[in-house]
Amino acid sequence: MSLIHIIYNWIDERIDLKTLQAKLLYEPMPGGSRYAYAFGSALLFIFIMQATTGILLMFYYAPTADHAWQSTQYILKELDYGWFLLSFHFWGSSVMVVMVVCHMLQVFIWGAYKNPREMVWLAGTILFLIVMAFGFTGYLLPWDQRAFWATTVGVEIMDKAPIVGDFMARFLRGGPTAGAQTLSRFFVIHVMLLPAALIAVFSLHLFFFRKAGPAGPFKATRQQLETKMEFFFPRQVFKDIVVMACVFVIIAGLATLWPVELLDEASPEPTDYNPEPEWYFLFLFQLLRLKMFSGEFGEFLGAIALPGLFVLLLMALPFINRNPERHPLKRPFAMSAVVFLLVGIAVLTWMAIASRSQ
Ligand code: HEM
């Protein structure tokens, strides 16, 4: 018996590795494995990559208003492969947003949010908010003009929310205006609170998912599902690994081709700098430029009421839409609504980008 076997058996006797292995790898997958089911694992993979690169960055980054910009400059210009590390972390966040949208679209099109998977979806919507909050809080950390002014505008928008708005804005800023306290708070939220929340909510997400079991294909009959039954291992594991490898190559490619560029150090002095958020918040930014959302009430409608209503609708979706039909062609209203939403977001994003050159 080899040493590895001896160690394996020793651990197995104590924590029953064989049962754990069977539970993790031999989960039945009705209808068999698919690339479409790989988005969830790919998201988990990106989170692990973001946590790893984030920890490495923290060895060099100083989260104080008088050193944040200099330490980011040091990472980009002097630290060996620092530019790659920071650029990988930066592009990883964009790819995570794209992946979370792909995962949501997949489970939406497959009707996998319906009874009995309402709790899986609900935990998922909280994960979506956490992923967006990672993007928002991370944007300030380089402490350059782009970071400072985009965050100032973002927090001002939050301030407009009724009842909690003023508290939220003061809590995030740490005072009446953005400054050193804001950076400390965003840093703590970005590196402590959000990762802890993501790990906790993801554990619930997976627990609910394993309790309900995978939804499987939308068009198969129960009999077909039972006859074409595969386990998670080996075919789905293989597909998940292929997608993770592609995600890694894409993020590394983006980081190499378009490394992060730092603007001038943040300064609260008024400048002619035009603040702009990350690309995935651009549609909201553009929405607020529309005439119908100008004025105090219009701003409240566009910045708070509409996004708030969207999040509430997203959370309530499995409870509102109780039709058990899962085939997308037999759910024309749901499919049209999502196409309308995606086209709207794409058009607003394009308008925001087009207005840059004017
Ligand atoms: C960090 C974010 C997320 C991670 C890491 C994650 C991870 C996963 C994993 C590993 C699975 C199981 C395999 C699969 O079908 O992919 C899964 C399933 C699922 N997720 Fe997520 N998820 C995230 C966000 C979301 C969001 C935002 C939603 C929807 C709002 C969502 C809804 C679901 C649903 C309904 C299933 C069950 C799919 C089925 O039964 O076929 N997830 N998720």
Side-chain angles (χ1 to χ4, degrees):
M1 199 187 273
S2 70
L3 182 64
I4 293 185
H5 272 102
I6 295 172
I7 296 174
Y8 179 88
N9 287 340
W10 187 89
I11 299 175
D12 185 40
E13 275 166 25
R14 277 143 191 96
I15 60 166
D16 196 5
L17 270 182
K18 289 195 181 85
T19 311
L20 189 71
Q21 185 181 333
K23 277 213 182 315
L24 288 179
L25 296 182
Y26 300 107
E27 183 203 16
M29 302 205 55
S33 61
R34 296 234 174 150
Y35 277 102
Y37 304 153
F39 293 123
S41 321
L43 270 168
L44 185 63
F45 172 69
I46 304 176
F47 173 65
I48 295 169
M49 295 303 298
Q50 290 299 90
T52 311
T53 48
I55 290 170
L56 291 175
L57 286 169
M58 274 199 287
F59 281 119
Y60 301 96
Y61 174 76
T64 57
D66 47 356
H67 289 106
W69 186 84
Q70 282 81 357
S71 59
T72 310
Q73 184 80 335
Y74 173 81
I75 292 171
L76 284 176
K77 299 273 185 254
E78 288 178 51
L79 179 68
D80 283 343
Y81 298 103
W83 64 270
F84 183 74
L85 193 62
L86 182 55
S87 305
F88 193 99
H89 193 76
F90 169 79
W91 282 109
S93 76
S94 284
V95 175
M96 194 164 183
V97 171
V98 173
M99 274 289 154
V100 87
V101 173
C102 291
H103 180 53
M104 284 167 85
L105 282 176
Q106 187 268 318
V107 295
F108 181 81
I109 294 169
W110 262 246
Y113 59 90
K114 298 190 173 204
N115 184 355
R117 292 179 190 78
E118 298 94 330
M119 306 265 277
V120 190
W121 174 268
L122 207 57
T125 55
I126 300 171
L127 286 173
F128 168 71
L129 296 178
I130 295 175
V131 170
M132 300 315 275
F134 262 119
F136 182 64
T137 51
Y139 205 56
L140 180 68
L141 304 184
W143 202 244
D144 62 359
Q145 287 289 71
R146 177 172 35 215
F148 183 82
W149 289 105
T151 306
T152 303
V153 173
V155 177
E156 271 169 15
I157 290 177
M158 218 172 268
D159 210 347
K160 296 190 190 343
I163 309 166
V164 289
D166 178 57
F167 169 77
M168 287 273 290
R170 278 181 172 273
F171 173 74
L172 284 178
R173 276 196 298 246
T177 53
Q181 276 286 327
T182 323
L183 181 62
S184 306
R185 291 185 181 202
F186 272 54
F187 179 72
V188 171
I189 295 171
H190 190 79
V191 309
M192 301 285 295
L193 294 186
L194 291 176
L198 192 137
I199 292 168
V201 182
F202 172 70
S203 309
L204 277 178
H205 189 58
L206 210 63
F207 172 73
F208 296 145
F209 169 74
R210 294 297 296 260
K211 277 277 165 204
F218 45 76
K219 59 174 183 236
T221 61
R222 186 167 290 276
Q223 197 192 357
Q224 283 167 321
L225 287 182
E226 274 159 16
T227 41
K228 195 171 183 251
M229 181 69 84
E230 270 180 30
F231 290 120
F232 178 59
F233 181 81
R235 283 171 192 268
Q236 188 62 47
V237 171
F238 174 75
K239 290 182 171 121
D240 285 1
I241 292 174
V242 169
V243 173
M244 287 177 201
C246 292
V247 162
F248 184 86
V249 171
I250 290 171
I251 302 178
L254 288 167
T256 312
L257 291 175
W258 292 285
V260 168
E261 279 174 25
L262 202 61
L263 301 187
D264 289 340
E265 189 172 5
S267 148
E269 300 301 317
T271 62
D272 54 1
Y273 180 73
N274 231 344
E276 200 176 76
E278 258 298 39
W279 65 266
Y280 40 84
F281 289 120
L282 270 182
F283 73 98
L284 260 179
F285 186 67
Q286 185 64 26
L287 191 80
L288 294 176
R289 284 187 182 152
L290 300 182
K291 239 196 173 103
M292 61 190 288
F293 295 116
S294 59
E296 204 163 314
F297 181 69
E299 273 183 10
F300 163 76
L301 208 67
I304 306 294
L306 269 184
L309 198 71
F310 171 74
V311 170
L312 281 181
L313 263 177
L314 202 66
M315 288 184 158
L317 183 72
F319 308 100
I320 300 170
N321 180 352
R322 299 166 74 90
N323 173 6
E325 181 57 70
R326 285 182 49 209
H327 200 296
L329 293 179
K330 292 180 183 151
R331 294 154 53 216
F333 178 74
M335 289 302 125
S336 322
V338 84
V339 170
F340 178 76
L341 186 76
L342 289 179
V343 171
I345 292 178
V347 169
L348 284 169
T349 309
W350 177 79
M351 279 167 69
I353 295 172
S355 69
R356 271 181 196 158
S357 48
Q358 283 168 12

